Each structure stands twice: as structure tokens, then as C-alpha cells.
Amino acid sequence: AALAHPYARVLNSNVASVTETLRGYFDCALVLDVLEHIEEDGLPNFIDSVAAILRPEGWLIIHVPSAIQQRHLRRFQGWHHHDHAREGFSVDQLTKLLERSQFRVTHVQGTFGYLASLAWELNMIVAATPLQAFAFPFLIWLARLGDVLPSKTWNGLLCTAQRKGTLAR
């Protein structure tokens, strides 16, 4: 379904069902916390489909979990996402995946540094309890503080990539 916006047309769709009418149609695609849910053998086709809907030199903004996750509290040391095909990506893995499919990676930066990952763990402890409503403002503040303070570890990666120049058919 298309969403109304005064300056843009936003289409929420399944990229795997790309039609010829959408080939090269979009200026930008957002793929936020999706790749970790796709099985290894499906990743190249998914990225190829994203490339197909972008115009030449269109932009891809992508966020994935980092392959190495910082854990603070003992109860989360062996924790894994039950619905992930993989826990995350390294910068090298993500770059290779995108560059084999018509993209030039322009920037990668870490997200969810030390304080944000700590805030996430504390939130998980109180999740689905009345205490979560009281703790949430503090946890948001803690996570946002992590945006301005340096961190040596990152639990996520934010990447921008540009589609290479010509449409492949």
C-alpha cells in the first residue's frame, strides 16, 4: 500500500515480488533489522531484488546487528535471538554481501554502543511488567546518552551504500 507524504511516495511491499514496473523506480530503500532473519542462501537474491528496485545511483540504508554482541549482565551472556538466522554481521561480511550485488558501500558506523546495549539489557529484565513503564524514560535517556559518548563496542551496524550506475536486466 502506498502511504501519502507531501514530498515522497512510500511503498511498503515485499521486495521479493519485484515487477518490471518497479525496476529502477526508487531513489532509496531502507532495510532495517531484516537481513539477520534471512537464511544464508536467500541473502544474495534479497540484495539483488533491492538493487533491482533502485534507480542507478540510488541509495540503500541498512541496519543489522553486529556479529559480536557486547553483553553486560551474566544472564545475557549466552542469549540469542530465537528468530534470527544469524546473530549479526561483521563490517567485512556486510560489505562483501552488498558489493557482490551492484552496491558500493559508502559508510559503515557502529550503533547501540556500550550504554545503549546496557539499556537494552535492563529493559529486557523488566519487559512485560508494570516496572517497564516506569523504567522506560530512564532507559531511553541512558541509550541516548550513549549516542554522544564514545564507545569501543557496538551491537549494531548502520550502512549506506549506493547502487552502481546502470540497470541490469
Side-chain angles (χ1 to χ4, degrees):
L3 303 173
H5 188 277
Y7 302 110
R9 179 167 179 244
V10 178
L11 181 65
N12 182 1
S13 182
N14 181 347
V15 74
S17 60
V18 172
T19 65
E20 283 304 310
T21 57
L22 292 179
R23 184 173 293 282
Y25 184 83
F26 294 98
D27 296 321
C28 182
L30 301 175
V31 178
L32 306 177
D33 297 320
V34 173
L35 294 186
E36 63 273 17
H37 298 276
I38 300 173
E39 294 295 332
E40 192 71 34
D41 60 348
L43 281 171
N45 288 338
F46 179 84
I47 297 299
D48 288 345
S49 295
V50 173
I53 66 170
L54 289 173
R55 67 172 173 76
E57 300 180 10
W59 289 95
L60 170 62
I61 301 169
I62 190 164
H63 186 270
V64 294
S66 178
I68 298 172
Q69 299 277 312
Q70 167 71 42
R71 298 292 182 226
H72 305 275
L73 305 174
R74 184 175 303 136
R75 71 189 298 176
F76 294 104
Q77 292 302 318
W79 190 85
H80 297 285
H81 291 82
H82 69 282
D83 61 345
H84 284 191
R86 78 194 44 69
E87 282 306 302
F89 293 82
S90 69
V91 171
D92 188 54
Q93 288 170 323
L94 185 58
T95 300
K96 284 180 181 175
L97 175 65
L98 295 174
E99 288 182 349
R100 66 143 298 280
S101 181
Q102 304 178 44
F103 286 103
R104 179 179 58 86
V105 172
T106 59
H107 183 75
V108 180
Q109 71 181 53
T111 62
F112 297 99
Y114 185 88
L115 291 177
S117 59
L118 176 60
W120 178 86
E121 288 183 25
L122 295 172
N123 183 64
M124 291 301 290
I125 290 171
V126 297
T129 70
L131 185 56
Q132 187 176 26
F134 294 105
F136 196 73
F138 166 75
L139 297 175
I140 289 291
W141 175 83
L142 184 63
R144 297 294 295 166
L145 183 61
D147 289 342
V148 297
L149 295 177
S151 181
K152 292 181 181 179
T153 60
W154 304 100
N155 280 10
L157 298 172
L158 180 64
C159 173
T160 56
Q162 192 171 29
R163 189 180 183 284
K164 295 177 184 170
T166 58
L167 282 174
R169 291 272 175 191

